[in-house]
Amino acid sequence: AQSVSQHNHHVILSEAASLELGCNYSYGGTVNLFWYVQYPGQHLQLLLKYFSGDPLVKGIKGFEAEFIKSKFSFNLRKPSVQWSDTAEYFCAVNAGSNYQLIWGAGTKLIIKP
Amino acid sequence: DTAVSQTPKYLVTQMGNDKSIKCEQNLGHDTMYWYKQDSKKFLKIMFSYNNKELIINETVPNRFSPKSPDKAHLNLHINSLELGDSAVYFCASSLRGQGASRGYTFGSGTRLTVV
């Protein structure tokens, strides 16, 4: 069965630290990949997406993600986090002809001021 | 056993018809959501209910009407369906203000196709 795994459920960092959140999926065909963010008390917002082309995609607020097909990964990165990045981050995959998304369990990121 | 269940999973209907999508969660959450995912895979929130009260109502046509008979159910009724309504609709639930670490759970989606 198709699945998406996010390696860490909780990540705690200090401001200015570098961030990398892992996301791996299990599907051998063409995929569309997404990272969503949910700030406290708010709904999900799209952070960035990959459909095709350059595997390094840039999103809002200084986030980027790299699609590595051979590793079935789509890790989210930010070189220097801010307190306002405290949120939950969801990786999601659309696989094949099934238009439904497969979601990771999410990672709660806490940035210490 | 399913935490957030939506029915039906697939729905094909003609323009002008009225249809409903049902959502139920058995997680004890107090907040439920409807999201719409269009053909480009963008996920957009439509409505959110907390304890049967509407708390988020994004700009959607009046043809869409959510109904929450209790905090475990959030149904979506759509009148006079149009071609542009074709999308995947996701139900989700959570404890208000909390997310993945405390149980933000999505349903598997309902794929609506209007012909």
Side-chain angles (χ1 to χ4, degrees), chain B:
Chain B
D1 233 10
T2 306
V4 179
S5 60
Q6 296 179 226
T7 54
K9 193 168 184 177
Y10 298 94
L11 181 56
V12 181
T13 187
Q14 291 186 326
M15 285 175 55
N17 284 351
D18 303 338
K19 291 292 180 184
S20 292
I21 308 172
K22 296 185 178 181
C23 181
E24 176 184 9
Q25 55 92 6
N26 61 4
L27 298 166
H29 289 166
D30 59 358
T31 305
M32 296 185 72
Y33 313 77
W34 276 112
Y35 284 84
K36 178 181 179 181
Q37 185 185 43
D38 61 21
S39 59
K40 294 183 178 180
K41 311 299 180 292
F42 300 145
L43 197 68
K44 183 177 180 181
I45 192 167
M46 301 173 70
F47 303 102
S48 178
Y49 271 74
N50 175 256
N51 284 322
K52 302 192 296 178
E53 291 189 4
L54 183 65
I55 57 172
I56 295 175
N57 184 0
E58 294 294 318
T59 303
V60 297
N62 292 335
R63 300 180 293 103
F64 290 78
S65 54
K67 285 185 173 54
S68 183
D70 55 60
K71 69 178 185 178
H73 296 82
L74 180 61
N75 303 325
L76 183 64
H77 187 76
I78 314 170
N79 291 323
S80 303
L81 279 155
E82 301 176 358
L83 292 176
D85 298 331
S86 295
V88 179
Y89 293 84
F90 287 91
C91 177
S93 73
S94 73
L95 290 172
R96 187 171 186 178
Q98 300 175 6
S101 61
R102 302 291 178 91
Y104 198 150
T105 306
F106 282 86
S108 59
T110 295
R111 184 178 179 184
L112 171 64
T113 303
V114 182
V115 297

